[in-house]
Amino acid sequence: MSARRSWKGSVLLPDELPAKDRGSGARTVPLATAARGATAFLNGITAFEPGAAIGHHLHNVVESVIVVEGAAVVDIDGERTRLRTFDTTLVPANVPHHFENASDHEPMKIFWTYASPHATRTLLETGEHGRIDAEHPGGAAGPAGLVHEVATIRVLPGHEDAFEEAVAQAAPHFQRARGARTFALERSQEDPLEYRLVVGWESVEDHVPGFRQSAGFTEWRRLIADHVSGTPEVTHLRNVLTAF
């Protein structure tokens, strides 16, 4: 499946996807990854052989894990807890932890989710550090490298509700655009007339000249024209660090 916007969804079959041997009897199958279209999270399954454990480590973002088969032990910053099937953990960024198979004769599996496609892992014993996506087949390509269009928009007094409705009407035009992956509108707390529209694109070219030469862009500008003061100020930003 191409990472370009044109798909209507994916079905990911763990038995048919590449797996990574984590060593010490643990094996991981990534599911929703940046290369497969994830823009806000990563998830996957790690299987543990009887008695297997992975090294103590930490992440730069929140992680949630569900035990989906067998019994596990989780060590969160030195506090050990035994888990049954469907027990769930929520570990904040930068808190050391690891999982173990609690059984010496039965397999165990966990389903993990990271709260950002920019998630990293740091192994405490060795100091090894890297992006989660880069560990798996397909590497770190795709939406984790999104460029964000940030448009600062000033709205005419009394037009706030109408402007927000106009943006909601315009959203489908962005969603249909080539390379558009995320769309969010934010309002200033200090200045209620100031908004920021943040659109994630696969490249600057998808936005300029791509979207700006489309009928969707013309309709976007028509929808907001009566509610804004001046021309939106636009810049393009790319993530260089996610610390937590």
Side-chain angles (χ1 to χ4, degrees):
M1 182 194 72
S2 171
R4 306 293 292 181
R5 170 163 292 284
S6 62
W7 81 92
K8 295 184 179 181
S10 301
V11 176
L12 304 172
L13 305 177
D15 292 343
E16 299 179 9
L17 294 173
K20 174 182 174 60
D21 187 348
R22 300 278 296 277
S24 303
R27 190 173 179 83
T28 290
V29 177
L31 295 172
T33 64
R36 292 174 181 148
T39 57
F41 64 90
L42 305 175
N43 65 27
I45 295 171
T46 299
F48 293 72
E49 296 177 3
I54 55 179
H56 217 47
H57 61 277
L58 53 81
H59 305 290
N60 62 328
V61 298
V62 174
E63 178 195 33
S64 181
V65 168
I66 303 172
V67 178
V68 294
E69 180 182 333
V73 171
V74 62
D75 183 318
I76 302 177
D77 203 17
E79 182 175 339
R80 296 172 63 82
T81 304
R82 189 178 178 94
L83 306 174
R84 301 177 300 173
T85 304
F86 302 126
D87 287 347
T88 301
T89 64
L90 185 65
V91 178
N94 302 311
V95 173
H97 62 282
H98 75 269
F99 287 83
E100 306 170 10
N101 188 342
S103 173
D104 291 328
H105 56 278
E106 297 289 342
M108 183 269 284
K109 289 182 180 178
I110 60 174
F111 176 83
W112 44 264
T113 301
Y114 298 107
S116 168
H118 302 288
T120 64
R121 176 186 291 107
T122 302
L123 296 176
L124 298 185
E125 182 177 355
T126 65
E128 181 182 348
H129 172 82
R131 266 191 47 191
I132 300 295
D133 250 11
E135 299 174 351
H136 305 305
L146 288 180
V147 59
H148 286 94
E149 168 203 355
V150 181
T152 301
I153 305 172
R154 289 202 62 81
V155 175
L156 295 170
H159 285 244
E160 297 92 322
D161 290 344
F163 170 73
E164 292 176 15
E165 176 59 28
V167 174
Q169 292 179 37
H173 296 288
F174 284 83
Q175 190 169 19
R176 287 191 290 267
R178 177 180 176 86
R181 302 305 306 279
T182 64
F183 182 95
L185 181 67
E186 301 174 344
R187 186 178 183 182
S188 170
Q189 289 291 294
E190 291 76 23
D191 183 352
L193 296 180
E194 182 174 292
Y195 289 80
R196 283 183 176 82
L197 180 70
V198 182
V199 184
W201 299 92
E202 292 184 19
S203 70
V204 173
E205 290 73 23
D206 285 328
H207 177 219
V208 183
F211 180 63
R212 285 196 175 181
Q213 293 183 349
S214 72
F217 179 76
T218 301
E219 181 63 7
W220 150 245
R221 283 298 179 87
R222 185 193 71 79
L223 285 166
I224 67 171
D226 293 338
H227 312 301
V228 301
S229 174
T231 302
E233 296 181 5
V234 177
T235 188
H236 295 93
L237 304 174
R238 190 179 296 276
N239 179 278
V240 295
L241 174 67
T242 298
F244 59 90

